[in-house]
Amino acid sequence: MAERSTAAVDVADNSGDEPLTAEADQSTADGVAQNRERDTENDEAQGSGGTEGPEKASPPELHSGHKLARRYRLEECVTRLDGFSSWRAVDEKLRRAVGVHLLPADHTRARSVLAAARSAALLGDPRFVQVLDAVEENDLVYVVHEWLPDAVELTALLAAGPMEPHDAYQMVSQVSSAMAAAHREGLAHLRLNPNAVLRTSSGQWRIRGLAVNAALRGISSDTPQRTDTESIGALLYAGLTQRWPYENDAYGLSGLPKDVGLIAPDQVRAHVHRGLSELSMRALVNDGATASRHESPCTTPEELVKAIGEMPRIRPPEPSFTAPPDYQRTTYQQGTYGRPAPHPGVTQPVPTPPAPLQSRTGKALKWAVSALLIAALGLGSWQLADALMDKGGKSDGTNNTQTTDGHDKNGSKTSPVRPLKITGAQEYAAEGSLQAPEDVGKTYDGSSSTYWRTKSYNAGPRLAPYKPGVGIVYELGSNQTISTATIGLRYGGDHTTVHLYATDSLTPSTSVDGMKEIGTATTNGTSLTVKASSKVKTQYVLLWITDVPQAPADDYSRAGYKQAVTDVKFTG
């Protein structure tokens, strides 16, 4: 059984600022809570203006092993409160872990939870934990979403200490741009706290519970953009200071001292980045905060993204290298082997160089060397004269004739280039959803008018942090040594980067970092040739795209950073 990871599931958390009277609820072995849990995060600790309505419905009595839709097997109850429960489950059809929210169909929030989940699923932004299913069935409403076993909550990261400026900058940049995109589609979070922000093993920041967490608790706001912007400011404040910017303790963080108001992060802790400190204060303007240089407050995620863009980019710290110690000669190399150690302050005598060879053996050796030199000079002169005479006695035609043996060791051998047949292919996604798996076959059908395409992304050319990359795994029928790959592209522009990796199957068992790279190339045009930088024999080749150009809108997608592959050919 996989080990439980609360960072991986979009749980209905209750790890905020708990009242002193609230007791932690315990769970039995089958995941059913013994005591009814309470949602203990109040509005003051969260910094939002949301409200919750009373609940009368009771959660259905479910247990570990129960199956939903003959597919999702419940494994462990993570949280049970306010008439709903959250579970870690297994999708037996796709053999992967998922998270599930459950509540009775007659729950007063059931309709709003379904609507929020379906709206969040339509967004399809990889920066959010994806909603996979939202169903009403057998008097139950359940929402299925991604489970990220490698992700860590911001709560856990802050428990170890405040964040480095570059990490805090990356977090606020990615979270702000993600929430700006969500608000453009009419979606708000309203519960954006350290439990809802995750960092994956690749360094990408992801947000869970978009719209759904608030709907489960009946939270609403008349100013959703201001609420989410203030929450982002609180996240940045906590990252810089390891303190929660309100008087109450929350999320394992100490609150600010009472009756002092909201003070800037660089006044709470030394060596805080000045620009990030001011940025957090501009976002926290809803609580009466003011920026130190009288900049305008940020009341929407879009304004926060603009303010971040106007800041100087914060680069990661330079890696520190320890200088190797000076090379120390051994005592044998220093010529002191077998000698007594010198006494301090005593001048050591300079050793007398050995006398020249004056013995009978030395004289004989000198005569032998001289004779060898004379013999070598004579032999060289004779060979030179013979070569000159031979050159003069031969005709020009014979002298210019040169034959080359094809099997000569010094001759160059060139292996014939042959096309490699593609016998199958399948799209590969390292993170998030697939791009267009049904169109993979169009990349090797012999027609340049058909293609497989990526989705359109808001920023580029590098796909990260939306995705580490997108690509297709091709099968060559048997182990082959690839020399080149010729790739036809639909869009030109600055720029497209493609990598080739050797992998073990159409569904690789290792990440891209664990694969052997065959070669890489970049182009601004509509065709690309990747030459192998190392000889690798493989039956399966991953074509991995990490950078795409900006392209106009078409019948499939809007304008943005995207690419499409029309033809792929391999030669060995």
Side-chain angles (χ1 to χ4, degrees):
M1 190 66 65
E3 183 179 354
R4 171 180 172 183
S5 171
T6 56
V9 60
D10 183 7
V11 300
D13 56 78
N14 66 337
S15 58
D17 53 327
E18 297 188 352
L20 296 177
T21 57
E23 295 182 359
D25 295 333
Q26 303 297 325
S27 296
T28 60
D30 66 352
V32 179
Q34 294 175 344
N35 300 323
R36 179 177 178 83
E37 292 183 316
R38 304 185 187 96
D39 183 7
T40 58
E41 294 182 46
N42 57 37
D43 295 335
E44 184 179 4
Q46 170 61 18
S48 68
T51 59
E52 297 191 31
E55 270 319 316
K56 296 181 180 180
S58 61
E61 291 299 328
L62 299 173
H63 55 83
S64 299
H66 183 88
K67 284 188 182 180
L68 301 173
R70 298 181 180 179
R71 174 175 179 176
Y72 304 111
R73 187 181 72 249
L74 302 182
E75 291 289 323
E76 179 185 12
C77 182
V78 180
T79 304
R80 187 187 298 274
L81 54 91
D82 283 350
F84 70 90
S85 59
S86 297
W87 294 75
R88 176 174 59 83
V90 174
D91 182 349
E92 293 186 335
K93 183 176 181 180
L94 297 180
R95 297 181 180 179
R96 63 178 179 180
V98 294
V100 179
H101 296 309
L102 279 166
L103 67 165
D106 59 354
H107 196 292
T108 56
R109 300 173 190 160
R111 304 272 75 77
S112 59
V113 169
L114 274 176
R118 288 167 180 171
S119 298
L122 290 175
L123 180 63
D125 193 318
R127 293 171 292 188
F128 295 91
V129 173
Q130 299 295 299
V131 174
L132 305 176
D133 210 349
V135 179
E136 179 178 359
E137 180 183 64
N138 297 332
D139 298 327
L140 280 176
V141 168
Y142 59 90
V143 177
V144 183
H145 52 84
E146 281 184 297
W147 179 281
L148 306 177
D150 66 335
V152 181
E153 290 181 359
L154 180 58
T155 309
L157 296 174
L158 293 180
M163 304 171 68
E164 294 292 332
H166 177 260
D167 294 335
Y169 174 79
Q170 288 294 322
M171 184 270 292
V172 72
S173 299
Q174 296 182 31
V175 171
S176 299
S177 60
M179 289 310 305
H183 279 283
R184 285 195 293 269
E185 300 298 327
L187 292 172
H189 197 291
L190 305 183
R191 280 186 56 82
L192 196 57
N193 54 50
N195 292 327
V197 179
L198 313 172
R199 185 172 69 179
T200 65
S201 59
S202 62
Q204 180 184 8
W205 292 91
R206 299 187 69 177
I207 303 171
R208 64 185 180 191
L210 178 67
V212 177
N213 271 7
L216 284 167
R217 292 165 175 79
I219 296 176
S220 61
S221 174
D222 295 332
T223 56
Q225 295 204 54
R226 292 186 65 182
T227 299
D228 284 343
T229 305
E230 182 180 1
S231 298
I232 298 173
L235 294 174
L236 178 57
Y237 195 105
L240 295 173
T241 65
Q242 203 184 11
R243 299 286 293 268
W244 193 236
Y246 304 98
E247 291 186 352
N248 289 9
D249 298 346
Y251 312 106
L253 303 174
S254 300
L256 296 179
K258 297 185 182 298
D259 302 325
V260 299
L262 182 60
I263 54 179
D266 54 3
Q267 297 176 8
V268 175
R269 178 175 163 266
H271 309 297
V272 171
H273 189 277
R274 180 69 179 274
L276 293 176
S277 175
E278 294 177 355
L279 184 69
S280 68
M281 297 297 282
R282 294 176 66 182
L284 284 167
V285 70
N286 300 349
D287 197 49
T290 55
S292 59
R293 294 184 181 176
H294 305 288
E295 290 95 341
S296 59
C298 299
T299 57
T300 68
E302 200 74 57
E303 292 177 358
L304 196 55
V305 170
K306 183 178 179 182
I308 294 170
E310 293 171 352
M311 289 177 54
R313 186 182 182 94
I314 301 176
R315 300 191 177 276
E318 294 292 335
S320 58
F321 296 100
T322 303
D326 294 337
Y327 177 72
Q328 299 291 333
R329 292 178 177 271
T330 64
T331 57
Y332 179 79
Q333 291 171 317
Q334 292 172 343
T336 61
Y337 181 75
R339 297 180 185 177
H343 297 285
V346 178
T347 304
Q348 297 299 312
V350 178
T352 305
L357 297 175
Q358 298 295 337
S359 64
R360 181 179 299 177
T361 305
K363 292 180 180 180
L365 183 60
K366 288 192 293 184
W367 281 109
V369 171
S370 301
L372 288 174
L373 289 175
I374 294 171
L377 288 173
L379 180 62
S381 301
W382 174 78
Q383 288 180 333
L384 177 61
D386 184 67
L388 291 174
M389 292 176 64
D390 184 63
K391 182 177 180 180
K394 292 184 179 180
S395 63
D396 292 340
T398 304
N399 201 34
N400 292 334
T401 301
Q402 182 178 0
T403 60
T404 302
D405 186 0
H407 298 283
D408 187 359
K409 293 183 180 179
N410 296 326
S412 60
K413 296 181 181 180
T414 57
S415 302
V417 176
R418 58 186 179 85
L420 303 178
K421 183 179 179 180
I422 299 174
T423 60
Q426 183 171 315
E427 185 174 334
Y428 171 69
E431 289 185 10
S433 58
L434 298 173
Q435 306 293 295
E438 69 280 359
D439 295 331
V440 167
K442 297 178 181 179
T443 62
Y444 60 99
D445 60 358
S447 173
S448 299
S449 61
T450 58
Y451 52 86
W452 166 88
R453 73 281 184 196
T454 71
K455 295 179 180 178
S456 180
Y457 295 92
N458 296 328
R462 183 168 293 276
L463 291 175
Y466 301 107
K467 277 184 175 291
V470 295
I472 302 172
V473 179
Y474 292 94
E475 182 177 4
L476 304 179
S478 61
N479 282 342
Q480 304 287 345
T481 301
I482 298 173
S483 59
T484 59
T486 305
I487 304 160
L489 304 171
R490 180 174 174 82
Y491 306 112
D494 184 23
H495 57 271
T496 302
T497 299
V498 175
H499 307 262
L500 292 183
Y501 292 95
T503 187
D504 54 2
S505 68
L506 288 176
T507 55
S509 59
T510 62
S511 63
V512 176
D513 294 337
M515 300 178 188
K516 175 70 175 178
E517 185 173 29
I518 299 174
T520 183
T522 299
T523 185
N524 292 335
T526 56
S527 63
L528 180 66
T529 299
V530 181
K531 294 184 178 180
S533 59
S534 59
K535 291 186 177 181
V536 181
K537 270 199 170 185
T538 182
Q539 184 176 348
Y540 301 94
V541 184
L542 171 61
L543 187 151
W544 190 239
I545 303 174
T546 57
D547 300 72
V548 296
Q550 190 171 32
D554 53 25
D555 294 339
Y556 173 72
S557 60
R558 57 183 172 80
Y561 288 89
K562 56 185 178 179
Q563 188 53 278
V565 178
T566 59
D567 296 287
V568 175
K569 296 178 182 178
F570 298 103
T571 56

